[in-house]
Amino acid sequence: MLVGGLGHAVPPPPAPPSRPPPGHPAGPPPQPPRAPDLGAARAAAPVLAPVAEGRVAIPATAGTVGRAGLPDASPRDVEVAAFWIDRTEVSVAAFAAFAREAWSRRAWWSEDGWAWAEAHPDGAGAALRAAGRDGGHPVVAVTWYEADAFCRSRGGRLPQEDEWEVAACGASGRRFPWGDDEARPAAWYDDGKGGHVEAVDTQPANRADARTAGPHGLVHSAGNVWEWTANAYHVDGPATSGTHHTLRGGSYMNLPSYATCAHREPARPSRVALTVGFRCAYDAP
């Protein structure tokens, strides 16, 4: 199901919209509903500390991704080659620096991305990408095309789905980056079934609670903002072509059940939402 108020956002509204109770953030094809996690103990308030920015080296990994019981993420054995990935999500400030010259740099864009860029000369706009937050927060309201171009401009790329999951959670079938315990102060929505989020309620990209870090040190890979991946979405697993790409990780307005290591969310590459950001990956030297 769609979350109200988070559709395509051009031109920008005067303020970030409120929303009904959290669920799926991004469009078709819908998946069968999953039961909300309302019985778990509430976590203590987060204790945010500075996080060293930069890239994390992920070694070659053989193991299992996915999780039993998810209709589009059944467990699979994978072998992932060594690569690097950003420890943190891309910030508002970093994307603003990119945007100042991106629309004049054809080499940074894919063919489809450049066609989109020519039709949208500033994307969703700087105001919506910041959404009332300072430059240290993760950028939102960016399309797959923009995320792809940003990573290309840094000599990188968007992570493959299997790379994202291995980097965020390892390859041992854990539910969240830190393990299976839901009572952690992640940047997700755990106020129960009712209520509203009245603003883009992210944590800063480079500040996090150490209790929510993954095995390789990535932060905010559960909650905060959904993250674009390179793959096209298919119900049977990552694909190389298709009409939708895959988002991973959940966001500040999703229940914990949507912010698991294995949860996959389809979205059109032109999707603009106040819950969606990204981080970049890089081939190993």
PDB file of all heavy atoms in Angstrom, residues 105-119 144-145 148-149 152:
ATOM      1  N   ARG A 105      26.848  18.163 -16.792  1.00  0.00           N
ATOM      2  CA  ARG A 105      27.845  17.108 -16.912  1.00  0.00           C
ATOM      3  C   ARG A 105      27.215  15.844 -17.482  1.00  0.00           C
ATOM      4  O   ARG A 105      26.847  14.930 -16.757  1.00  0.00           O
ATOM      5  CB  ARG A 105      28.475  16.806 -15.547  1.00  0.00           C
ATOM      6  CG  ARG A 105      29.281  17.944 -14.956  1.00  0.00           C
ATOM      7  CD  ARG A 105      30.551  18.217 -15.770  1.00  0.00           C
ATOM      8  NE  ARG A 105      31.469  19.070 -15.043  1.00  0.00           N
ATOM      9  CZ  ARG A 105      32.515  18.648 -14.362  1.00  0.00           C
ATOM     10  NH1 ARG A 105      32.778  17.340 -14.302  1.00  0.00           N
ATOM     11  NH2 ARG A 105      33.298  19.493 -13.736  1.00  0.00           N
ATOM     12  N   ARG A 106      27.080  15.778 -18.782  1.00  0.00           N
ATOM     13  CA  ARG A 106      26.445  14.625 -19.430  1.00  0.00           C
ATOM     14  C   ARG A 106      27.134  13.310 -19.077  1.00  0.00           C
ATOM     15  O   ARG A 106      26.476  12.273 -18.935  1.00  0.00           O
ATOM     16  CB  ARG A 106      26.462  14.843 -20.952  1.00  0.00           C
ATOM     17  CG  ARG A 106      26.067  13.620 -21.785  1.00  0.00           C
ATOM     18  CD  ARG A 106      24.618  13.239 -21.550  1.00  0.00           C
ATOM     19  NE  ARG A 106      24.224  12.057 -22.280  1.00  0.00           N
ATOM     20  CZ  ARG A 106      24.393  10.806 -21.839  1.00  0.00           C
ATOM     21  NH1 ARG A 106      24.970  10.583 -20.663  1.00  0.00           N
ATOM     22  NH2 ARG A 106      23.976   9.770 -22.546  1.00  0.00           N
ATOM     23  N   ALA A 107      28.465  13.333 -18.882  1.00  0.00           N
ATOM     24  CA  ALA A 107      29.209  12.091 -18.651  1.00  0.00           C
ATOM     25  C   ALA A 107      28.836  11.408 -17.345  1.00  0.00           C
ATOM     26  O   ALA A 107      29.107  10.218 -17.172  1.00  0.00           O
ATOM     27  CB  ALA A 107      30.712  12.381 -18.668  1.00  0.00           C
ATOM     28  N   TRP A 108      28.218  12.133 -16.439  1.00  0.00           N
ATOM     29  CA  TRP A 108      27.850  11.527 -15.166  1.00  0.00           C
ATOM     30  C   TRP A 108      26.552  10.730 -15.230  1.00  0.00           C
ATOM     31  O   TRP A 108      26.240  10.000 -14.279  1.00  0.00           O
ATOM     32  CB  TRP A 108      27.689  12.618 -14.105  1.00  0.00           C
ATOM     33  CG  TRP A 108      28.966  13.279 -13.696  1.00  0.00           C
ATOM     34  CD1 TRP A 108      30.239  12.902 -14.025  1.00  0.00           C
ATOM     35  CD2 TRP A 108      29.092  14.439 -12.868  1.00  0.00           C
ATOM     36  NE1 TRP A 108      31.153  13.757 -13.457  1.00  0.00           N
ATOM     37  CE2 TRP A 108      30.482  14.714 -12.744  1.00  0.00           C
ATOM     38  CE3 TRP A 108      28.188  15.281 -12.228  1.00  0.00           C
ATOM     39  CZ2 TRP A 108      30.978  15.782 -11.992  1.00  0.00           C
ATOM     40  CZ3 TRP A 108      28.673  16.348 -11.485  1.00  0.00           C
ATOM     41  CH2 TRP A 108      30.046  16.592 -11.367  1.00  0.00           C
ATOM     42  N   TRP A 109      25.809  10.853 -16.291  1.00  0.00           N
ATOM     43  CA  TRP A 109      24.472  10.277 -16.341  1.00  0.00           C
ATOM     44  C   TRP A 109      24.405   9.093 -17.295  1.00  0.00           C
ATOM     45  O   TRP A 109      25.081   9.060 -18.320  1.00  0.00           O
ATOM     46  CB  TRP A 109      23.464  11.326 -16.802  1.00  0.00           C
ATOM     47  CG  TRP A 109      23.382  12.536 -15.929  1.00  0.00           C
ATOM     48  CD1 TRP A 109      24.226  13.612 -15.940  1.00  0.00           C
ATOM     49  CD2 TRP A 109      22.396  12.813 -14.934  1.00  0.00           C
ATOM     50  NE1 TRP A 109      23.834  14.544 -15.011  1.00  0.00           N
ATOM     51  CE2 TRP A 109      22.709  14.081 -14.374  1.00  0.00           C
ATOM     52  CE3 TRP A 109      21.275  12.127 -14.465  1.00  0.00           C
ATOM     53  CZ2 TRP A 109      21.944  14.663 -13.361  1.00  0.00           C
ATOM     54  CZ3 TRP A 109      20.509  12.720 -13.471  1.00  0.00           C
ATOM     55  CH2 TRP A 109      20.843  13.963 -12.923  1.00  0.00           C
ATOM     56  N   SER A 110      23.545   8.139 -16.965  1.00  0.00           N
ATOM     57  CA  SER A 110      23.198   7.106 -17.924  1.00  0.00           C
ATOM     58  C   SER A 110      22.374   7.726 -19.045  1.00  0.00           C
ATOM     59  O   SER A 110      21.925   8.883 -18.950  1.00  0.00           O
ATOM     60  CB  SER A 110      22.375   6.008 -17.240  1.00  0.00           C
ATOM     61  OG  SER A 110      21.111   6.528 -16.821  1.00  0.00           O
ATOM     62  N   GLU A 111      22.147   6.987 -20.117  1.00  0.00           N
ATOM     63  CA  GLU A 111      21.346   7.513 -21.227  1.00  0.00           C
ATOM     64  C   GLU A 111      19.940   7.880 -20.763  1.00  0.00           C
ATOM     65  O   GLU A 111      19.444   8.972 -21.042  1.00  0.00           O
ATOM     66  CB  GLU A 111      21.288   6.487 -22.354  1.00  0.00           C
ATOM     67  CG  GLU A 111      20.547   6.972 -23.586  1.00  0.00           C
ATOM     68  CD  GLU A 111      20.597   5.976 -24.736  1.00  0.00           C
ATOM     69  OE1 GLU A 111      21.405   5.034 -24.685  1.00  0.00           O
ATOM     70  OE2 GLU A 111      19.811   6.147 -25.692  1.00  0.00           O
ATOM     71  N   ASP A 112      19.303   6.959 -20.040  1.00  0.00           N
ATOM     72  CA  ASP A 112      17.953   7.260 -19.534  1.00  0.00           C
ATOM     73  C   ASP A 112      17.994   8.372 -18.490  1.00  0.00           C
ATOM     74  O   ASP A 112      17.083   9.208 -18.421  1.00  0.00           O
ATOM     75  CB  ASP A 112      17.336   6.004 -18.923  1.00  0.00           C
ATOM     76  CG  ASP A 112      16.936   4.969 -19.972  1.00  0.00           C
ATOM     77  OD1 ASP A 112      16.861   5.322 -21.167  1.00  0.00           O
ATOM     78  OD2 ASP A 112      16.699   3.811 -19.579  1.00  0.00           O
ATOM     79  N   GLY A 113      19.058   8.393 -17.700  1.00  0.00           N
ATOM     80  CA  GLY A 113      19.186   9.425 -16.687  1.00  0.00           C
ATOM     81  C   GLY A 113      19.323  10.815 -17.288  1.00  0.00           C
ATOM     82  O   GLY A 113      18.728  11.781 -16.787  1.00  0.00           O
ATOM     83  N   TRP A 114      20.099  10.925 -18.369  1.00  0.00           N
ATOM     84  CA  TRP A 114      20.272  12.227 -19.000  1.00  0.00           C
ATOM     85  C   TRP A 114      18.962  12.717 -19.617  1.00  0.00           C
ATOM     86  O   TRP A 114      18.633  13.906 -19.550  1.00  0.00           O
ATOM     87  CB  TRP A 114      21.366  12.173 -20.045  1.00  0.00           C
ATOM     88  CG  TRP A 114      21.670  13.506 -20.670  1.00  0.00           C
ATOM     89  CD1 TRP A 114      21.515  13.859 -21.971  1.00  0.00           C
ATOM     90  CD2 TRP A 114      22.179  14.663 -20.000  1.00  0.00           C
ATOM     91  NE1 TRP A 114      21.890  15.171 -22.171  1.00  0.00           N
ATOM     92  CE2 TRP A 114      22.310  15.689 -20.979  1.00  0.00           C
ATOM     93  CE3 TRP A 114      22.532  14.942 -18.679  1.00  0.00           C
ATOM     94  CZ2 TRP A 114      22.769  16.965 -20.657  1.00  0.00           C
ATOM     95  CZ3 TRP A 114      23.001  16.214 -18.365  1.00  0.00           C
ATOM     96  CH2 TRP A 114      23.118  17.209 -19.352  1.00  0.00           C
ATOM     97  N   ALA A 115      18.205  11.801 -20.203  1.00  0.00           N
ATOM     98  CA  ALA A 115      16.897  12.179 -20.746  1.00  0.00           C
ATOM     99  C   ALA A 115      16.000  12.697 -19.625  1.00  0.00           C
ATOM    100  O   ALA A 115      15.295  13.708 -19.786  1.00  0.00           O
ATOM    101  CB  ALA A 115      16.254  10.988 -21.450  1.00  0.00           C
ATOM    102  N   TRP A 116      16.040  12.030 -18.471  1.00  0.00           N
ATOM    103  CA  TRP A 116      15.259  12.509 -17.326  1.00  0.00           C
ATOM    104  C   TRP A 116      15.769  13.871 -16.867  1.00  0.00           C
ATOM    105  O   TRP A 116      14.971  14.779 -16.580  1.00  0.00           O
ATOM    106  CB  TRP A 116      15.343  11.492 -16.183  1.00  0.00           C
ATOM    107  CG  TRP A 116      14.598  11.936 -14.970  1.00  0.00           C
ATOM    108  CD1 TRP A 116      13.304  11.685 -14.668  1.00  0.00           C
ATOM    109  CD2 TRP A 116      15.107  12.757 -13.907  1.00  0.00           C
ATOM    110  NE1 TRP A 116      12.961  12.299 -13.484  1.00  0.00           N
ATOM    111  CE2 TRP A 116      14.066  12.960 -12.998  1.00  0.00           C
ATOM    112  CE3 TRP A 116      16.348  13.327 -13.644  1.00  0.00           C
ATOM    113  CZ2 TRP A 116      14.212  13.716 -11.844  1.00  0.00           C
ATOM    114  CZ3 TRP A 116      16.507  14.087 -12.491  1.00  0.00           C
ATOM    115  CH2 TRP A 116      15.450  14.275 -11.596  1.00  0.00           C
ATOM    116  N   ALA A 117      17.098  14.038 -16.782  1.00  0.00           N
ATOM    117  CA  ALA A 117      17.688  15.290 -16.294  1.00  0.00           C
ATOM    118  C   ALA A 117      17.319  16.464 -17.194  1.00  0.00           C
ATOM    119  O   ALA A 117      17.033  17.570 -16.706  1.00  0.00           O
ATOM    120  CB  ALA A 117      19.202  15.145 -16.193  1.00  0.00           C
ATOM    121  N   GLU A 118      17.322  16.238 -18.508  1.00  0.00           N
ATOM    122  CA  GLU A 118      16.960  17.325 -19.420  1.00  0.00           C
ATOM    123  C   GLU A 118      15.511  17.753 -19.231  1.00  0.00           C
ATOM    124  O   GLU A 118      15.167  18.931 -19.408  1.00  0.00           O
ATOM    125  CB  GLU A 118      17.208  16.893 -20.864  1.00  0.00           C
ATOM    126  CG  GLU A 118      18.679  16.802 -21.226  1.00  0.00           C
ATOM    127  CD  GLU A 118      18.884  16.581 -22.699  1.00  0.00           C
ATOM    128  OE1 GLU A 118      18.296  15.611 -23.244  1.00  0.00           O
ATOM    129  OE2 GLU A 118      19.616  17.371 -23.325  1.00  0.00           O
ATOM    130  N   ALA A 119      14.671  16.817 -18.858  1.00  0.00           N
ATOM    131  CA  ALA A 119      13.256  17.135 -18.647  1.00  0.00           C
ATOM    132  C   ALA A 119      12.984  17.708 -17.253  1.00  0.00           C
ATOM    133  O   ALA A 119      11.915  18.279 -17.015  1.00  0.00           O
ATOM    134  CB  ALA A 119      12.402  15.886 -18.860  1.00  0.00           C
ATOM    135  N   TRP A 144      16.236   7.555  -8.723  1.00  0.00           N
ATOM    136  CA  TRP A 144      17.304   6.590  -9.007  1.00  0.00           C
ATOM    137  C   TRP A 144      18.289   7.193  -9.999  1.00  0.00           C
ATOM    138  O   TRP A 144      19.502   6.983  -9.864  1.00  0.00           O
ATOM    139  CB  TRP A 144      16.691   5.309  -9.584  1.00  0.00           C
ATOM    140  CG  TRP A 144      17.695   4.213  -9.809  1.00  0.00           C
ATOM    141  CD1 TRP A 144      18.037   3.221  -8.934  1.00  0.00           C
ATOM    142  CD2 TRP A 144      18.494   3.993 -10.988  1.00  0.00           C
ATOM    143  NE1 TRP A 144      19.000   2.406  -9.479  1.00  0.00           N
ATOM    144  CE2 TRP A 144      19.289   2.851 -10.745  1.00  0.00           C
ATOM    145  CE3 TRP A 144      18.595   4.646 -12.209  1.00  0.00           C
ATOM    146  CZ2 TRP A 144      20.181   2.355 -11.690  1.00  0.00           C
ATOM    147  CZ3 TRP A 144      19.491   4.158 -13.147  1.00  0.00           C
ATOM    148  CH2 TRP A 144      20.278   3.019 -12.891  1.00  0.00           C
ATOM    149  N   TYR A 145      17.799   7.944 -10.968  1.00  0.00           N
ATOM    150  CA  TYR A 145      18.689   8.534 -11.976  1.00  0.00           C
ATOM    151  C   TYR A 145      19.702   9.480 -11.322  1.00  0.00           C
ATOM    152  O   TYR A 145      20.888   9.484 -11.669  1.00  0.00           O
ATOM    153  CB  TYR A 145      17.872   9.310 -13.011  1.00  0.00           C
ATOM    154  CG  TYR A 145      16.863   8.492 -13.768  1.00  0.00           C
ATOM    155  CD1 TYR A 145      15.507   8.840 -13.759  1.00  0.00           C
ATOM    156  CD2 TYR A 145      17.244   7.362 -14.507  1.00  0.00           C
ATOM    157  CE1 TYR A 145      14.571   8.101 -14.471  1.00  0.00           C
ATOM    158  CE2 TYR A 145      16.311   6.617 -15.214  1.00  0.00           C
ATOM    159  CZ  TYR A 145      14.969   6.991 -15.184  1.00  0.00           C
ATOM    160  OH  TYR A 145      14.041   6.255 -15.883  1.00  0.00           O
ATOM    161  N   ASP A 148      22.222   7.467  -9.168  1.00  0.00           N
ATOM    162  CA  ASP A 148      23.178   6.810 -10.059  1.00  0.00           C
ATOM    163  C   ASP A 148      24.215   7.806 -10.568  1.00  0.00           C
ATOM    164  O   ASP A 148      25.428   7.530 -10.564  1.00  0.00           O
ATOM    165  CB  ASP A 148      22.415   6.182 -11.224  1.00  0.00           C
ATOM    166  CG  ASP A 148      23.322   5.555 -12.270  1.00  0.00           C
ATOM    167  OD1 ASP A 148      24.061   4.608 -11.938  1.00  0.00           O
ATOM    168  OD2 ASP A 148      23.290   6.030 -13.428  1.00  0.00           O
ATOM    169  N   ALA A 149      23.774   8.993 -10.984  1.00  0.00           N
ATOM    170  CA  ALA A 149      24.698  10.003 -11.492  1.00  0.00           C
ATOM    171  C   ALA A 149      25.636  10.499 -10.393  1.00  0.00           C
ATOM    172  O   ALA A 149      26.830  10.715 -10.634  1.00  0.00           O
ATOM    173  CB  ALA A 149      23.917  11.173 -12.092  1.00  0.00           C
ATOM    174  N   ARG A 152      28.325   7.903  -9.897  1.00  0.00           N
ATOM    175  CA  ARG A 152      29.247   7.941 -11.035  1.00  0.00           C
ATOM    176  C   ARG A 152      30.210   9.129 -10.912  1.00  0.00           C
ATOM    177  O   ARG A 152      31.394   9.013 -11.231  1.00  0.00           O
ATOM    178  CB  ARG A 152      28.473   8.062 -12.341  1.00  0.00           C
ATOM    179  CG  ARG A 152      27.706   6.805 -12.768  1.00  0.00           C
ATOM    180  CD  ARG A 152      26.800   7.151 -13.950  1.00  0.00           C
ATOM    181  NE  ARG A 152      26.009   6.041 -14.405  1.00  0.00           N
ATOM    182  CZ  ARG A 152      26.101   5.486 -15.631  1.00  0.00           C
ATOM    183  NH1 ARG A 152      26.982   5.937 -16.495  1.00  0.00           N
ATOM    184  NH2 ARG A 152      25.316   4.484 -15.959  1.00  0.00           N
TER     185      ARG A 152
END
